[in-house]
Amino acid sequence: MAATDIARQVGEGCRTVPLAGHVGFDSLPDQLVNKSVSQGFCFNILCVGETGLGKSTLMDTLFNTKFEGEPATHTQPGVQLRSNTYDLQESNVGLKLTIVSTVGFGDQINKEDSYKPIVEFIDAQFEAYLQEELKIRRVLHIYHDSRIHACLYFIAPTGHSLKSLDLVTMKKLDSKVNIIPIIAKSDAISKSELTKFKIKITSELVSNGVQIYQFPTDDELVAEINGTMNAHLPFAVIGSTEELKIGNKMMKARQYPWGTVQVENEAHCDFVKLREMLIRINMEDLREQTHSRHYELYRRCKLEEMGFKDTDPDSKPFSLQETYEAKRNEFLGELQKKEEEMRQMFVQRVKEKEAELKEAEKELHEKFDRLKKLHQDEKKKLEDKKKSLDDEMNAFKQRKTAAELLQSQGSQAGGAQTLKRDKEKKN
């Protein structure tokens, strides 16, 4: 690289000067490697696809191990994302691998909102990282980065075309994650059908504007192989953890009544291509694309929603302090406005409540007057009835006394006549 090119890259005013001897900063790459190896790496894979397409089996085959996990059923009421993290060790390199699976994806009758839990999960990981970045005391060097670095989208081997669910989901995800489409269980269709199916999938993705991950070709070391592999997308893969003896070697394969399918045989499937591209060659590029493209897009949109911006209306630099002050003043103005609205609303509600209470009090007084008048009328009726009964009782007593008097007089008259008759008889 020419000195003028270096000066152009580092900025105006920089000069290149020769060194009289060895200084030692050429060991920086080794220092970075040693530091990275000591800290370890993380890689997060999202497996999207319908239940039964072999997502778990493919993950076991890719990393040559057996990940623990519960088998998914077709009876899920909605789409759920299940995340599992594993610590892997190969040579002296440690990898914290997170596998996220979409349980119940495509199993519902109404699949209209099947993509929403996936989008929400990816955004939640971006939001968690953004909140960590915005902290005063950040610990990003020990923070567990849970952002999705690669999305393996499993396509059912129908041999015809993509389902509407696949197109809608990939369209919603292409701006948030690196999508690598793969045809699952590709041994279910013939070679000629598979070639046509790949062409059909590619044309549908292009016509619907779905942006899938393209392996980078800007690095001269991997430009040739990545350019070749971009033409093989989507990869047609087969997964199997079963080892069979083929010839003199034990190989991962699937045994069928008509023959054997070798997983690592490139003439049988694209599993080796997927492993090479995903893990051995482009794993770091997937991590970098996630941070520099997808996360930066989310971060920019989020900060713009919060009111932060780089330039003012005159295209002049806008400092963070000015943005904070402007946002603070705007917030205080909105807060004062809301406070005044709440005060007015409170006063209005108090007035309405007072009017309701006065109306209720008026109704109570009217009801009390009605009851009082009714009580007085009833009392008067009872007093009149009582007086009438007293008069009847007095009249009855008078009649009774007169009757008793008449009866006593009649008894005395009868006794006198009896004595008179007795005397007459004696005489």
Side-chain angles (χ1 to χ4, degrees):
M1 184 179 288
T4 55
D5 295 332
I6 298 176
R8 191 178 299 112
Q9 286 185 3
V10 298
E12 296 295 333
C14 290
R15 294 181 303 156
T16 56
V17 294
L19 302 178
H22 182 262
V23 177
F25 57 78
D26 57 350
S27 66
L28 268 175
D30 297 330
Q31 296 177 34
L32 289 174
V33 169
N34 294 333
K35 184 177 181 181
S36 298
V37 169
S38 64
Q39 290 179 350
F41 301 89
C42 72
F43 192 66
N44 306 319
I45 301 177
L46 171 64
C47 299
V48 182
E50 299 177 10
T51 307
L53 288 180
K55 299 186 291 295
S56 301
T57 304
L58 184 64
M59 289 298 101
D60 295 343
T61 312
L62 272 174
F63 292 93
N64 199 21
T65 185
K66 179 65 177 176
F67 296 116
E68 298 178 356
E70 299 178 359
T73 64
H74 291 273
T75 59
Q76 297 291 335
V79 180
Q80 298 177 357
L81 277 83
R82 186 181 298 166
S83 176
N84 295 299
T85 302
Y86 310 93
D87 287 322
L88 306 180
Q89 186 76 25
E90 188 175 34
S91 298
N92 65 331
V93 179
L95 178 68
K96 187 181 289 293
L97 176 68
T98 300
I99 299 175
V100 183
S101 58
T102 54
V103 181
F105 181 79
D107 290 340
Q108 296 75 36
I109 296 177
N110 184 3
K111 304 178 180 64
E112 183 179 0
D113 297 331
S114 295
Y115 68 89
K116 287 186 178 179
I118 306 174
V119 173
E120 291 172 357
F121 179 85
I122 296 173
D123 286 344
Q125 312 316 309
F126 284 154
E127 182 65 24
Y129 193 88
L130 178 61
Q131 292 301 322
E132 183 64 30
E133 271 194 337
L134 295 177
K135 287 182 179 179
I136 297 176
R137 298 181 61 182
R138 299 182 299 179
V139 287
L140 292 176
H141 60 287
I142 60 173
Y143 175 75
H144 178 214
D145 186 4
S146 58
R147 296 173 296 176
I148 300 299
H149 300 124
C151 171
L152 296 181
Y153 197 96
F154 289 69
I155 301 171
T158 60
H160 299 290
S161 61
L162 287 171
K163 298 179 181 179
S164 299
L165 175 64
D166 298 331
L167 287 171
V168 170
T169 303
M170 282 194 275
K171 185 62 178 175
K172 295 293 183 181
L173 295 180
D174 63 356
S175 63
K176 297 179 178 294
V177 70
N178 302 311
I179 300 177
I180 302 176
I182 58 177
I183 302 172
K185 295 185 175 181
S186 61
D187 54 340
I189 51 179
S190 64
K191 280 283 186 180
S192 59
E193 289 176 337
L194 185 59
T195 303
K196 294 178 182 177
F197 191 33
K198 283 188 174 185
I199 297 173
K200 182 69 173 176
I201 291 173
T202 304
S203 64
E204 287 186 345
L205 292 176
V206 172
S207 61
N208 287 276
V210 178
Q211 300 292 326
I212 63 173
Y213 174 73
Q214 295 290 318
F215 302 116
T217 56
D218 51 355
D219 188 349
E220 295 179 358
L221 297 176
V222 295
E224 183 178 355
I225 185 172
N226 280 348
T228 304
M229 290 304 169
N230 281 329
H232 284 83
L233 289 172
F235 293 134
V237 299
I238 303 167
S240 176
T241 56
E242 180 183 0
E243 291 192 352
L244 301 176
K245 189 173 183 180
I246 300 174
N248 296 325
K249 295 182 179 180
M250 297 297 294
M251 303 181 68
K252 289 184 173 63
R254 296 183 71 89
Q255 184 71 50
Y256 293 99
W258 45 263
T260 304
V261 176
Q262 301 173 22
V263 173
E264 297 179 332
N265 188 337
E266 293 192 50
H268 291 185
C269 69
D270 297 332
F271 173 80
V272 174
K273 296 183 179 66
L274 174 63
R275 185 175 60 190
E276 291 285 330
M277 293 297 100
L278 179 67
I279 300 175
R280 296 182 181 176
I281 298 178
N282 297 301
M283 180 180 280
E284 180 55 33
D285 184 73
L286 287 164
R287 287 158 42 92
E288 182 181 346
Q289 285 289 326
T290 299
H291 181 80
S292 61
R293 180 187 169 195
H294 301 297
Y295 171 70
E296 283 300 320
L297 176 61
Y298 176 85
R299 177 179 173 274
R300 185 177 75 241
C301 295
K302 202 70 176 178
L303 291 179
E304 286 177 353
E305 288 178 5
M306 296 169 62
F308 293 97
K309 49 189 175 181
D310 294 329
T311 57
D312 59 11
D314 298 330
S315 299
K316 295 180 179 179
F318 210 67
S319 68
L320 183 63
Q321 181 65 26
E322 291 175 347
T323 304
Y324 170 76
E325 291 294 335
K327 195 66 180 175
R328 182 174 180 273
N329 294 333
E330 181 183 353
F331 175 75
L332 290 176
E334 292 179 356
L335 186 64
Q336 187 175 3
K337 183 179 178 181
K338 288 183 179 179
E339 185 179 356
E340 184 63 28
E341 290 177 355
M342 291 179 66
R343 185 181 293 107
Q344 295 294 335
M345 187 182 299
F346 176 75
V347 171
Q348 182 66 24
R349 288 187 177 181
V350 168
K351 290 181 179 179
E352 292 176 357
K353 199 65 178 178
E354 287 180 350
E356 290 178 3
L357 290 174
K358 288 181 179 179
E359 187 67 24
E361 184 180 6
K362 182 180 179 181
E363 291 178 358
L364 285 174
H365 280 300
E366 291 177 354
K367 186 176 181 180
F368 176 75
D369 293 338
R370 288 196 304 270
L371 291 175
K372 186 177 179 181
K373 184 179 180 181
L374 181 63
H375 174 70
Q376 290 176 352
D377 293 341
E378 291 291 334
K379 185 177 179 182
K380 185 177 179 181
K381 289 180 181 178
L382 289 174
E383 288 178 351
D384 293 342
K385 192 171 183 179
K386 182 181 178 184
K387 184 179 180 182
S388 174
L389 290 173
D390 289 341
D391 293 342
E392 289 180 2
M393 288 179 64
N394 293 330
F396 175 75
K397 288 180 180 179
Q398 291 177 2
R399 288 196 301 271
K400 182 181 179 182
T401 304
E404 289 177 351
L405 181 59
L406 290 173
Q407 186 178 2
S408 61
Q409 289 178 356
S411 298
Q412 291 177 0
Q417 291 178 0
T418 303
L419 289 175
K420 185 177 181 180
R421 283 196 298 266
D422 290 340
K423 286 181 180 180
E424 290 176 352
K425 286 181 182 180
K426 288 180 181 180
N427 296 326

